């Protein structure tokens, strides 16, 4: 299966994890992260959002992140699904799933991929609030999260 | 030489999705940004120094010192907010 999917449709965590470890009896651990749309952000209620991306670059950037995770951690496979287009509060946005022989490397690689994706993958969120639509600001804390892995983000 | 410039998110709303731009050989990403700024109007506002603008060259995150080649795909966009 492909390692990266950018799609408007929802994803099924169970099906994704089953596919990730199918046919690999060396897998002893799967760690996954699912990001979802909140109904509040920066002091406003949020009734929905639109996710824009840079087709082509997005896939390349995430493929490169998975390559880097494979170099840094003893993992067997990784999968990233990120949705684009209109989304509502409660919807799933992003999935990162990693398989490995033991839990430690799976947990770490999953967090590494998510930290990397937050500041280096070209996605932009525009949220609908009672005061109108607004582009979401990048967070300095997300740059800090990537810095823990020794990578300078320069995003926010 | 000619490069294709793409804009995303708030920059796309201000400047449109894409435009072809003539630049002198040896130009950098930062030089291109300055040339676009010098047009004034919406470009000057959207790409103003002091605004957080990130860039990519041929679909790879790059800094403004990156040197352009003829036919390059350049993109300017705000800080990314995925995940």
């Amino acid at each position: 299966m492909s390692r990266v999917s950018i799609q408007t449709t929802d994803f099924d965590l169970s099906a994704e994890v089953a596919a990730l470890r199918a046919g690999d009896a060396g897998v002893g651990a799967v760690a996954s992260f699912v990001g979802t749309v909140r109904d509040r952000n920066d002091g406003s209620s949020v009734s929905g959002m639109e996710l824009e991306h840079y087709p082509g670059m997005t896939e390349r950037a995430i493929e490169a992140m998975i390559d880097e995770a494979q170099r840094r951690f003893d993992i067997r496979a990784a999968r990233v699904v990120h949705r684009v287009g209109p989304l509502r509060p409660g919807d799933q946005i992003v999935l990162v799933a990693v398989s490995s022989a033991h839990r430690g490397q799976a947990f770490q690689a999953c967090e590494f991929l998510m930290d990397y994706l937050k500041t280096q993958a070209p996605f932009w969120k525009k949220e609908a609030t009672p005061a109108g639509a607004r582009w979401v600001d990048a967070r300095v804390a997300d740059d800090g999260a990537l810095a823990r892995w020794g990578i300078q983000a320069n995003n926010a | 030489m000619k490069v294709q410039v793409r804009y995303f998110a708030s920059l796309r709303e201000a400047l449109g999705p894409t435009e072809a731009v003539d630049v002198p050989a040896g130009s950098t990403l930062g030089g291109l940004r300055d040339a676009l700024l010098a047009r004034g109007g919406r470009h000057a506002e959207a790409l103003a120094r002091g605004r957080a603008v990130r860039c990519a060259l041929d679909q790879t995150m790059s800094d403004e010192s990156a040197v352009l080649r003829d036919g390059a795909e350049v993109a300017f966009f705000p800080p990314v907010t995925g995940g």
Side-chain angles (χ1 to χ4, degrees):
Chain A
M1 76 189 286
S2 74
R3 303 193 299 179
V4 179
S5 293
I6 311 300
Q7 60 192 47
T8 55
T9 51
D10 199 7
F11 53 82
D12 179 333
L13 173 63
S14 297
E16 292 290 347
V17 168
L20 185 71
R21 62 196 196 87
D24 185 355
V27 171
V30 176
S32 65
F33 171 87
V34 175
T36 58
V37 181
R38 275 177 291 117
D39 64 358
R40 290 196 69 78
N41 190 35
D42 283 342
S44 288
S45 65
V46 172
S47 58
M49 68 165 57
E50 182 85 24
L51 251 150
E52 178 173 340
H53 78 302
Y54 184 165
M57 179 174 165
T58 311
E59 292 85 347
R60 287 173 52 153
I62 297 172
E63 288 282 356
M65 291 171 202
I66 294 175
D67 288 343
E68 182 60 26
Q70 296 271 14
R71 277 190 290 274
R72 287 176 176 237
F73 306 102
D74 185 13
I75 59 175
R76 302 187 71 90
R79 167 89 169 136
V80 175
V81 181
H82 204 300
R83 294 178 69 190
V84 293
L87 294 170
R88 315 274 303 168
D91 282 353
Q92 303 187 112
I93 307 178
V94 60
L95 165 71
V96 174
V98 179
S99 66
S100 62
H102 304 286
R103 70 184 183 285
Q105 294 290 289
F107 276 130
Q108 282 196 54
C110 187
E111 188 165 29
F112 170 82
L113 281 169
M114 202 53 222
D115 287 346
Y116 213 160
L117 186 151
K118 288 292 286 189
T119 61
Q120 304 298 310
F123 294 100
W124 301 272
K125 289 179 181 142
K126 189 175 197 179
E127 57 191 17
T129 75
R134 66 181 185 192
W135 291 99
V136 173
D137 286 329
R139 294 174 197 277
V140 174
D142 287 331
D143 283 12
L146 188 60
R148 291 182 304 153
W149 302 100
I151 299 174
Q152 201 177 337
N154 294 325
N155 183 53
Chain B
M1 62 185 193
K2 203 176 271 292
V3 298
Q4 195 67 31
V5 181
R6 304 181 65 173
Y7 302 106
F8 291 92
S10 54
L11 293 183
R12 172 184 53 74
E13 289 178 336
L15 304 175
T18 185
E19 61 181 321
V21 179
D22 278 309
V23 293
S27 294
T28 62
L29 265 175
L32 169 61
R33 182 175 173 184
D34 286 334
L36 292 166
L37 269 171
R39 290 181 184 176
R42 289 195 310 261
H43 282 81
E45 193 180 329
L47 296 167
R49 294 288 169 189
R51 288 191 76 154
V53 174
R54 305 291 170 248
C55 42
L57 174 58
D58 292 327
Q59 301 194 354
T60 301
M61 291 282 190
S62 300
D63 62 43
E64 294 198 6
S65 64
V67 177
L68 308 179
R69 58 166 183 83
D70 189 35
E73 178 178 318
V74 174
F76 291 105
F77 42 79
V80 302
T81 54

